[in-house]
Amino acid sequence: MKVTFIGAAHEVTGSCSLVEVGNTAFLVDCGMEQGENRFENVPLPVAASSLAAVVLTHAHIDHSGYLPLLYKQGFRGTVYTTESTTSLCQIMLRDSAHIQESEAEWKTRKAIRAGRPEVEPLYTIADAEGVLERFRPCPYNQVIRIAENVVVRFSDIGHLLGSAAAELWLTQDGITKKIVFSGDVGNTNQPIIQDPKPVEQADYLVIESTYGNRLHAPRPDYVGELTQILQETFDRGGTVVIPSFAVGRTQEMLYFIREIKEKKLVHGHDGFPVYVDSPLANEATSIFLQCPTENLDKEARALVDRGINPLWFEGLRISVSKEDSQAINANTEPKVIISASGMCDAGRIRHHLKHNLWHAESTVLFVGYQAGGTLGRALVDGAQKVRIFDEEIAVNAEIRVMSGISGHADKQGLLNWIACFQPHPQQVFVNHGDDESCTDFARCLREEYGYEVYAPYSGTCYDLLHGQFLAKPEGVLIVRKQADTASGTMRDARALEAFGALQRAVRQLAAVVQNASGRPNKELKRMTAQLEELCRTWKK
């Protein structure tokens, strides 16, 4: 009985863990890595064809996006997940496969011109269709047997429509152990969906740490803040461009704008149009409107009970075709454009940024997390110029970030959720956070709250039956090739690897200093002198 951590280990995307109980092996999540990846992931140590199941916590691509690849590699088990996650994956995995095929086709055209071989897509629409046939929708809070020695129960975790923490009971040699995978813990008081539900007991817990060392700002007046941004931008004749995740964040924006329009909060621009330019977002919105009402929070349910569509209003315009999308920027009237992807690393949003970033009267409004290495992160960090479709674009538009909007719990939210486990789990594993975030959150749980906790790197393996580590590897930094602009040659990025080793040493030193409390004054003074000398040496 063991768990092996494969993905989202000291990284914030690519969730994937392997659980083995007797002769049964299954995955919890099978996500695609997005944005910048710093650490190597170990390959799956078992054949895809040998997996009995995948337990899927929610539909976001960083948790579900490699399922079609798993099918391509031979997986023919069952994917257990909630009803709404099943519905969302029907559109999201097909869309992801379409992107894979389109990118491979584009790269193949370039390769053929250069005399290179064709590029095969990571997976195809047929692979996505194949794995979608393996889905089994499960209601919340119902115990489901997925193997003779494994049962699962999904508990609403409030991150996305259909998102869940997975409670797993594993039995071997007459002994049963319970392990809980949090998935992504949701923020509280989000519109439309429920708050995270507590889980009260577990022998082992795997918890995410996306915001494990940060606190969200106090919850703002979302409608008031968005109204101000719209009013200021429209008054100067500009367009508000909102890069938004097609599933979740787009629906929240529509929810806010419906209220703004209903209350006529924007003055002098009555009937301003709102374009949703994402076929995926439009399909996802339909799923939100058709989901069981018990999945909605009380405010959204109250609107539905009154016969009000919480995501529709006058002036909402849906763009489906490429021609619809292109026509949006030909319209010079003040407007809102909501388009995917949320981090600007693909999709139609890049066309809208190309047309609007250089206009000083426009605003680009970010309403979600921007991972390192993405175009969205560059804009939020203040880039003066960016390259889109091989063209350098000046950033003259106002760049705004809508504070407080996050689908993830912050540090305090994570602490509140884990506090419901009584007694403490025997062992807590912290994953799905960048290197600094997961390390800091693990340290907080250990030193401030007394948990037995570890932040595993990829390849870490733990014996759940006997409560001991079987493998505890260090993280392996990805060695990248980078261009030498002076000579045009390529060289290894060994500096990145060396700097990573230095950072690990600094963390070890910080731990030594933290544990030095209570040592004799003479030892503390000697340690201080040595550190001060070290600082003087490397300042030179």
Side-chain angles (χ1 to χ4, degrees), residues 180-385:
V180 173
F181 289 80
S182 73
D184 286 353
V185 182
N187 202 357
T188 56
N189 299 314
Q190 291 186 93
I192 307 175
I193 63 176
Q194 301 269 20
D195 284 351
K197 298 297 188 290
V199 178
E200 297 179 351
Q201 186 276 328
D203 297 301
Y204 302 103
L205 171 63
V206 182
I207 186 170
E208 64 113 335
S209 58
T210 308
Y211 286 89
N213 61 352
R214 287 168 287 175
L215 297 176
H216 297 321
R219 189 176 191 273
D221 175 6
Y222 293 134
V223 169
E225 186 175 345
L226 182 56
T227 298
Q228 181 184 7
I229 292 169
L230 296 178
Q231 187 75 58
E232 292 174 354
T233 305
F234 293 166
D235 285 349
R236 60 180 185 249
T239 291
V240 177
V241 179
I242 305 179
S244 184
F245 299 101
V247 182
R249 199 49 41 80
T250 291
Q251 291 72 38
E252 291 174 3
M253 290 296 103
L254 294 177
Y255 189 86
F256 296 144
I257 294 172
R258 183 207 60 81
E259 183 176 346
I260 289 170
K261 281 182 167 277
E262 177 189 345
K263 296 179 178 178
K264 302 185 185 302
L265 299 178
V266 172
H267 305 293
H269 306 280
D270 293 342
F272 66 88
V274 177
Y275 295 88
V276 178
D277 187 25
S278 166
L280 178 62
N282 293 324
E283 291 184 83
T285 300
S286 298
I287 290 172
F288 270 72
L289 294 173
Q290 296 166 12
C291 75
T293 55
E294 57 265 28
N295 288 5
L296 305 177
D297 65 12
K298 62 181 181 179
E299 291 82 6
R301 277 202 309 273
L303 290 171
V304 172
D305 290 344
R306 288 162 49 201
I308 297 173
N309 184 332
L311 304 179
W312 186 89
F313 43 81
E314 290 290 339
L316 178 60
R317 301 178 185 177
I318 305 301
S319 296
V320 177
S321 69
K322 185 182 296 185
E323 291 73 25
D324 292 338
S325 179
Q326 292 170 343
I328 295 173
N329 290 303
N331 177 357
T332 59
E333 67 178 320
K335 57 189 173 296
V336 176
I337 303 172
I338 303 174
S339 188
S341 70
M343 298 186 196
C344 310
D345 52 353
R348 295 182 178 185
I349 187 62
R350 295 170 75 87
H351 293 277
H352 298 301
L353 292 174
K354 179 180 176 180
H355 283 278
N356 288 279
L357 272 175
W358 57 279
H359 288 292
E361 62 270 23
S362 291
T363 298
V364 177
L365 174 61
F366 287 95
V367 293
Y369 178 79
Q370 302 301 308
T374 62
L375 174 58
R377 182 61 171 268
L379 290 169
V380 167
D381 286 348
Q384 299 298 305
K385 295 180 181 179

